[in-house]
Amino acid sequence: MKYQHSKNWKTFREEVLRLDEYKCCTCGKSKLDGAILHVHHKDYILGHKPWEYPYEMCQTLCSGCHAIEHGIIPPKMGWLYVGFDDLGGLYGTCEYCGKEIRYSHLISHKSWRPIEVGTNCCDSLTATDEANLVQKEAKKLQEKRKRFVSSTRWEYIYDEYGYKIYKIKLDSYLVFITNEESGYTIKINFAKSQKRYASLNEAKIKAFDVIESGEFRNWINKRNQSRNPSHR
């Protein structure tokens, strides 16, 4: 299962969209205009994975402009699974069959550009069941996230400044979320984020995601290595 591939693609895709200010580079439409945004590779380098391109070789296009850019029928076999994104609703369109999709799977082909397709088309084109398996794992993660956010294990106290602090233990980590004047802040064990979140649920979801994805653990490991270079 190529979960790391999925993370690599999702991170790369998000950065391209951010650089283009989440707008189609051709027509200027954004999500607020109802546009579904894709990452278009202007050219293809043999042997390169979709996330291994320089950002300047990619651009954000809406689904309509992307379809115009590539007006030929793609191959029916020989595709490889690359990555996955949960759009949160039926906000996407399968680039192979045209159906509305929530779960967008990126697939690549040696003689074709990468395309984003639905679960059924993905498994059919790749001749695997990877899309279904990844989607099932994603649903499990969503349910676990919901249980964490609404858990009755959340407790709260007040600090010396009168700020309300919500706390809970997730795995081996202690999570603290403080309701400050400028928004909600997150502290995991001893490490406090400087970022502010608009709502308590948003902060809870972020705390869950950085722990569950391993992002926080990786940060701790890098921090310890930088402090103890002899242990590298």
Side-chain angles (χ1 to χ4, degrees):
M1 194 66 60
K2 304 179 181 65
Y3 294 114
Q4 186 59 46
H5 286 191
S6 182
K7 292 176 184 177
N8 290 338
W9 166 246
K10 192 170 183 178
T11 300
F12 180 83
R13 178 181 183 276
E14 177 63 23
E15 181 61 13
V16 174
L17 297 182
R18 187 190 69 80
L19 290 171
D20 290 333
E21 299 181 345
Y22 299 93
K23 295 179 181 178
C24 175
C25 293
T26 298
C27 69
K29 290 182 179 179
S30 68
K31 281 188 177 181
L32 296 177
D33 303 310
I36 305 301
L37 300 179
H38 296 169
V39 170
H40 167 62
H41 293 72
K42 300 176 186 178
D43 202 353
Y44 301 101
I45 304 173
L46 186 63
H48 274 50
K49 296 180 176 64
W51 59 85
E52 293 179 338
Y53 286 72
Y55 292 123
E56 59 267 21
M57 286 187 66
C58 298
Q59 65 179 162
T60 301
L61 294 179
C62 69
S63 56
C65 291
H66 205 181
I68 292 172
E69 188 73 24
H70 301 281
I72 308 173
I73 299 174
K76 294 183 178 181
M77 59 184 65
W79 292 88
L80 297 176
Y81 188 84
V82 176
F84 160 83
D85 193 15
D86 179 2
L87 303 178
L90 294 176
Y91 303 133
T93 302
C94 176
E95 293 186 67
Y96 192 80
C97 71
K99 291 183 179 179
E100 293 181 331
I101 56 174
R102 168 174 177 165
Y103 299 100
S104 176
H105 302 271
L106 182 74
I107 56 178
S108 65
H109 195 281
K110 63 181 180 180
S111 60
W112 198 261
R113 67 179 178 87
I115 61 174
E116 295 180 64
V117 297
T119 302
N120 292 336
C121 285
C122 180
D123 283 348
S124 174
L125 293 169
T126 61
T128 70
D129 59 354
E130 285 200 78
N132 267 301
L133 292 174
V134 170
Q135 188 169 312
K136 286 178 181 178
E137 289 298 319
K139 287 181 177 179
K140 287 181 183 179
L141 184 64
Q142 290 166 11
E143 290 302 316
K144 188 175 180 180
R145 185 187 290 117
K146 287 179 182 178
R147 291 195 298 271
F148 174 76
V149 170
S150 60
S151 175
T152 57
R153 295 187 297 110
W154 281 100
E155 301 175 353
Y156 66 85
I157 57 175
Y158 290 92
D159 67 9
E160 65 270 27
Y161 304 105
Y163 293 132
K164 194 173 186 178
I165 303 175
Y166 299 85
K167 62 178 183 177
I168 196 173
K169 187 173 183 180
L170 177 60
D171 298 332
S172 60
Y173 301 102
L174 285 173
V175 179
F176 302 90
I177 298 178
T178 304
N179 183 9
E180 301 180 2
E181 293 178 1
S182 56
Y184 292 85
T185 59
I186 300 171
K187 182 180 179 182
I188 302 175
N189 289 352
F190 58 84
K192 182 178 180 180
S193 170
Q194 298 302 311
K195 186 174 181 179
R196 264 58 173 175
Y197 297 88
S199 69
L200 176 60
N201 277 359
E202 185 181 352
K204 286 181 177 180
I205 290 171
K206 181 61 178 179
F208 174 87
D209 286 349
V210 297
I211 292 175
E212 190 68 23
S213 67
E215 181 181 340
F216 183 74
R217 182 177 62 254
N218 293 338
W219 180 82
I220 291 295
N221 291 338
K222 289 180 180 178
R223 177 179 176 274
N224 290 339
Q225 288 177 0
S226 66
R227 290 185 173 183
N228 301 286
S230 60
H231 294 167
R232 290 180 184 177

